[in-house]
Amino acid sequence: MEQQTVPHLLLIPFPALGHISPMIKLAELLYQAGFHITFLNTPHNYDRHLRFTDLQSRFTSSPRFRFQTISDGLPPDHPRSVQLIRDIFFSTQLVTKPLLRDLLLSFPQDLPVTGIIADGIMTFAIDVAQDLGIPIFIFRTCSACAFWAYRCIPKLIEAGDLPFEDHDDMDRPINSVPGMETLLRRRDLPSICRMKDLENPVFQFFVNETLNTARASGLILNTFDDLEGPILSHIGSHFPQLYSIGPIHTLLKTRQGDTPPSVASNGGLWEEGGNCLAWLESKPFKSVLYVSFGSIVSVTRDELLELWYGLVNSGKPFLWVIRKDLIARKEGEEGEIPAELEGGTKERGCVVGWAPQEEVLAHPAVGGFLTHSGWNSTLESIIAGVPMICWPQLSDQPINSRFVSEVWRNGIDMKDRCDRVTVEKMVRDLMVDQREELEKAADKMADLARKCVREGGSSYCNFERLLEDIRSTMSFPQLS
Ligand code: UDP
């Protein structure tokens, strides 16, 4: 009887763009390294992939790369909005978990799944994998600093740093996260820490998901040693099989060489709107501020107007992504935009529904990025050497922005403020007054990021080690 030797990995992203996008790039890297890949999408996201990418041709041209769907456990008409994203945390644990087991048992005997890579907030997959004897690695898509802060939450509680109320003295220092003793204030912690009730299911969910990671064969992070080395050392003392392989989108480009990318670079959940690259062509070198708050954050109409006034009043050209679902309107709220804003935007602005962000950031006309500090956006800005104004809202964003402003110094932090005067001042600081020093730091970091993904660089070598370790842990069942 011959032993089955096809290494076949199942990749399970959390069903949101900021998670799917780096996971699909990891899938592509593993595919190039010779693995058979099955990439799981929810039907909801698979439909969007079909509409906005060349997924169908990808599927037919690459027999070793398949997409398959699994339910996220929510009804088709659920909005899956940021306000209701918590529903997915619990529905996947309840509904997707048993479906995953059935799916794993349904693969043909000549191509069973021999290894799994699951998102770090889908750790129910560890139970299923271990039950079926399949090795599993966890890919947590946030920054190392955020992961470490989540991991230290039990310490924060023990030290009396948690809980606190949202409005209680938010500048109070937090000293109980090893490696960040003099850095953090309450307002810099991941957003779940702004909860009075530590029994809150979402709070508990993040604590447990982070602790569960230790049960996997390894932890993959989308970061690099020159960016987060000291924090990675702390994490490594709890998770010895740690692989920092970021920025993954650049590692992929580097290893791909001349091979054309087969998966849309933006993850393909939105249609790119407007011809903003042509608009950028007409603008002087590093003159434009790019403004985007990622794929799920929403803003109130008041915040939108304050941001807008600040941008227009700064006098700088701006390219702003206003997604269809960016504005969380209150019932009965008017949608009109004041005439002076429309005028200022026509003169200096370009507004689109979605942009090819990596290309925008790499464009010579872009000199700054007003971002919500999502981790993918932060890495994309770092590799492009574009300094940032950070306006964090949720999850890991508040700690990412603290590291940008105080550790890497390639940006400034507008956390918890959103009035037109502050926005205008921040834009001027970024684009004029502090431009030189911020650009210097951003260039230095971009250089380090590019080096780490080249042959011999830390992320390159860590990825090689990951490949070896995945291969050596894989179980190859006997064919009967
Ligand atoms: N993105 C894009 N076009 C846009 C806005 C965002 O391609 O107009 C991409 C961006 O490049 C990034 C992702 O969407 O890869 C957003 O991920 P991030 O982690 O920054 O934020 P999230 O959406 O998870 O809040």
Side-chain angles (χ1 to χ4, degrees):
M1 205 178 300
E2 219 177 279
Q3 205 179 20
Q4 139 83 281
T5 53
V6 179
H8 177 195
L9 287 172
L10 179 72
L11 276 81
I12 314 174
F14 180 79
L17 178 71
H19 295 247
I20 296 171
S21 173
M23 185 70 97
I24 210 156
K25 285 160 189 157
L26 178 60
E28 182 95 32
L29 280 160
L30 294 162
Y31 167 77
Q32 282 173 10
F35 290 95
H36 279 250
I37 301 292
T38 298
F39 192 90
L40 272 191
N41 258 316
T42 60
H44 177 79
N45 287 329
Y46 185 67
D47 279 354
R48 288 164 82 179
H49 264 297
L50 279 185
R51 270 190 285 152
F52 303 135
T53 70
D54 57 352
L55 176 62
Q56 207 57 50
S57 56
R58 172 81 174 101
F59 184 69
T60 43
S61 67
S62 309
R64 275 196 298 114
F65 198 117
R66 299 153 198 239
F67 287 89
Q68 208 148 341
T69 56
I70 193 164
S71 169
D72 58 12
L74 296 174
D77 59 350
H78 187 287
R80 293 162 173 84
S81 59
V82 69
Q83 292 81 5
L84 296 174
I85 203 151
R86 51 171 286 157
D87 292 352
I88 307 183
F89 301 154
F90 306 116
S91 66
T92 46
Q93 287 181 334
L94 273 175
V95 182
T96 313
K97 184 174 174 177
L99 293 177
L100 177 63
R101 190 187 153 85
D102 294 347
L103 177 81
L104 283 164
L105 292 171
S106 74
F107 279 94
Q109 265 204 338
D110 59 348
L111 196 63
V113 168
T114 53
I116 296 176
I117 298 185
D119 190 287
I121 55 170
M122 304 276 273
T123 63
F124 63 80
I126 300 177
D127 300 337
V128 180
Q130 290 181 343
D131 194 28
L132 299 177
I134 304 171
I136 178 164
F137 288 70
I138 288 295
F139 177 25
R140 189 77 184 252
T141 56
C142 63
S143 55
C145 59
F147 179 82
W148 183 232
Y150 285 120
R151 177 61 184 76
C152 292
I153 282 178
K155 254 184 204 301
L156 288 164
I157 297 172
E158 208 181 288
D161 282 330
L162 288 182
F164 60 82
E165 289 253 36
D166 193 352
H167 303 294
D168 277 350
D169 187 10
M170 291 299 280
D171 287 321
R172 192 156 141 185
I174 297 287
N175 301 317
S176 47
V177 183
M180 304 182 198
E181 285 84 355
T182 56
L183 180 70
L184 300 181
R185 306 155 299 172
R186 284 177 170 176
R187 67 174 79 250
D188 304 316
L189 290 170
S191 61
I192 53 149
C193 295
R194 298 186 180 202
M195 266 177 206
K196 183 80 179 156
D197 175 16
L198 300 188
E199 296 306 315
N200 180 294
V202 175
F203 179 86
Q204 288 293 329
F205 173 82
F206 276 94
V207 173
N208 291 332
E209 289 298 289
T210 306
L211 293 173
N212 280 343
T213 306
R215 294 168 42 223
S217 300
L219 169 63
I220 304 163
L221 290 174
N222 187 9
T223 188
F224 56 103
D225 294 2
D226 281 324
L227 188 70
E228 298 196 273
I231 302 302
L232 287 165
S233 302
H234 283 283
I235 297 174
S237 61
H238 294 262
F239 303 89
Q241 298 312 320
L242 178 63
Y243 309 87
S244 46
I245 61 167
I248 286 183
H249 70 287
T250 319
L251 180 68
L252 176 60
K253 279 189 194 142
T254 312
R255 292 179 68 106
Q256 227 160 13
D258 296 332
T259 320
S262 36
V263 183
S265 67
N266 71 354
L269 296 189
W270 268 269
E271 191 166 22
E272 280 165 17
N275 196 352
C276 58
L277 292 173
W279 180 84
L280 284 174
E281 284 304 315
S282 67
K283 298 289 170 256
F285 185 61
K286 292 195 177 176
S287 64
V288 175
L289 180 74
Y290 171 58
V291 186
S292 170
F293 305 125
S295 63
I296 51 170
V297 154
S298 63
V299 304
T300 62
R301 185 177 147 75
D302 285 351
E303 287 170 331
L304 180 91
L305 287 180
E306 290 305 307
L307 288 163
W308 209 328
Y309 270 109
L311 292 174
V312 167
N313 294 346
S314 76
K316 299 288 160 207
F318 61 91
L319 165 59
W320 191 356
V321 177
I322 302 190
R323 293 185 335 263
K324 272 199 276 239
D325 58 349
L326 178 71
I327 307 160
R329 282 188 209 282
K330 290 186 209 123
E331 220 165 290
E333 202 167 54
E334 293 289 318
E336 273 171 38
I337 301 299
E340 71 262 35
L341 288 183
E342 288 200 335
T345 305
K346 260 193 210 123
E347 224 175 89
R348 287 183 298 281
C350 174
V351 175
V352 293
W354 190 251
Q357 182 161 301
E358 282 178 49
E359 286 164 76
V360 166
L361 287 168
H363 196 284
V366 172
F369 183 13
L370 169 50
T371 170
H372 69 311
S373 297
W375 188 235
N376 295 296
S377 295
T378 304
L379 285 174
E380 288 159 14
S381 203
I382 285 176
I383 204 85
V386 175
M388 293 166 260
I389 299 172
C390 305
W391 188 52
Q393 305 296 303
L394 308 165
S395 58
D396 60 334
Q397 298 154 20
I399 192 162
N400 297 342
S401 72
R402 186 64 171 170
F403 271 70
V404 166
S405 69
E406 301 304 312
V407 180
W408 309 320
R409 300 194 176 274
N410 53 347
I412 47 183
D413 198 355
M414 198 174 81
K415 183 176 295 143
D416 297 332
R417 283 175 295 166
C418 185
D419 60 274
R420 61 192 76 182
V421 176
T422 304
V423 176
E424 180 185 341
K425 179 172 181 327
M426 287 270 168
V427 176
R428 286 183 198 282
D429 283 349
L430 186 84
M431 305 295 282
V432 186
D433 299 338
Q434 298 182 33
R435 179 173 176 155
E436 211 175 303
E437 62 209 78
L438 291 169
E439 262 178 12
K440 214 164 136 195
D443 284 346
K444 189 175 148 209
M445 203 46 89
D447 199 40
L448 292 171
R450 286 185 209 117
K451 278 191 187 132
C452 79
V453 294
R454 277 188 220 132
E455 200 168 342
S458 60
S459 292
Y460 189 100
C461 295
N462 289 338
F463 182 67
E464 290 290 325
R465 183 165 56 86
L466 174 67
L467 292 176
E468 268 170 41
D469 292 353
I470 292 177
R471 287 194 187 104
S472 69
T473 52
M474 276 187 170
S475 50
F476 293 107
Q478 297 280 350
L479 284 178
S480 54

